[in-house]
Amino acid sequence: LVASGKADIIFAMDVNFASSHLFDRLNKGRILSIFRHPVDRLASKFYYLQSATWERTYRPEWADMSILEWAEKHNFDENFLVKKIVGKKLTDDAGMADLIIAKEIVRRRFIVGLLDEMEESVHRFNVMLGVNESDEKTKECMNEVFGTTKDESDKSDEVDSVEAQGDEG
């Protein structure tokens, strides 16, 4: 698929599968990834799986426990992302060497976005993908998703500043 040149972007949940089956020395790729704070991710998992009846991993019994109890007795997501990046099974141990390798892989191959900074992350991805953010359709899309875009909010700040100066004179 990559060698054919028919795809500009490929979505994959498994970094190692994509790198071993889709890319090679001649056909390289970059990974666009949104990272979430691990505590936020686990808290979200705890609350979500209490009510997500459609999930295979649905856990109604978690509704009767505190998040602290769950974290101490039922959370087995230790070093989830490190294991995923270096290609280990979730049941494998991950040590300091794995962390160092994972950090190097992220540094070399990933374009990192942060869930808490989604608008900035999308802007970063747009730059990497060559998306023209001054295009009207792109502005419309960004405005629909994020509200007022940075360009528009900057202009409104300038207008407020000029109006405030006019009131003083």
Side-chain angles (χ1 to χ4, degrees):
L1 180 63
V2 175
S4 73
K6 293 182 180 179
D8 292 325
I9 190 165
I10 296 170
F11 292 89
M13 294 296 293
D14 189 329
V15 174
N16 293 297
F17 175 84
S19 64
S20 63
H21 291 87
L22 299 173
F23 300 101
D24 57 36
R25 289 185 184 267
L26 297 175
N27 301 288
K28 297 179 180 183
R30 297 291 303 260
I31 300 163
L32 306 179
S33 185
I34 300 286
F35 285 85
R36 185 176 191 183
H37 191 286
V39 173
D40 294 342
R41 185 184 66 77
L42 289 173
S44 178
K45 173 185 175 177
F46 169 69
Y47 291 113
Y48 173 74
L49 289 178
Q50 291 176 23
S51 60
T53 57
W54 54 91
E55 293 284 355
R56 180 180 51 81
T57 53
Y58 170 55
R59 297 289 186 268
E61 65 275 14
W62 290 357
D64 296 328
M65 66 178 73
S66 72
I67 193 167
L68 185 58
E69 178 187 353
W70 174 81
E72 290 173 343
K73 298 179 182 175
H74 302 280
N75 173 35
F76 302 108
D77 279 6
E78 191 175 307
N79 297 311
F80 167 80
L81 197 53
V82 170
K83 293 174 186 179
K84 193 85 169 151
I85 291 170
V86 300
K88 287 191 163 194
K89 294 178 182 173
L90 297 181
T91 55
D92 292 344
D93 287 330
M96 188 55 69
D98 296 310
L99 175 62
I100 291 167
I101 292 167
K103 286 170 63 175
E104 184 62 15
I105 291 169
V106 169
R107 188 182 72 74
R108 289 180 181 227
R109 306 300 305 158
F110 284 58
I111 307 302
V112 173
L114 301 174
L115 187 65
D116 289 345
E117 298 289 338
M118 186 59 82
E119 185 174 0
E120 176 60 31
S121 299
V122 170
H123 170 70
R124 179 180 287 220
F125 297 157
N126 285 345
V127 168
M128 280 303 300
L129 295 170
V131 173
N132 180 358
E133 289 189 339
S134 63
D135 176 75
E136 284 305 313
K137 283 194 172 226
T138 304
K139 284 182 181 179
E140 188 179 307
C141 179
M142 294 289 282
N143 191 43
E144 188 176 312
V145 173
F146 299 111
T148 304
T149 62
K150 286 183 179 180
D151 289 344
E152 291 172 4
S153 65
D154 290 346
K155 290 176 187 170
S156 68
D157 289 345
E158 291 172 11
V159 169
D160 291 344
S161 175
V162 170
E163 288 176 352
Q165 289 174 358
D167 291 342
E168 293 172 3

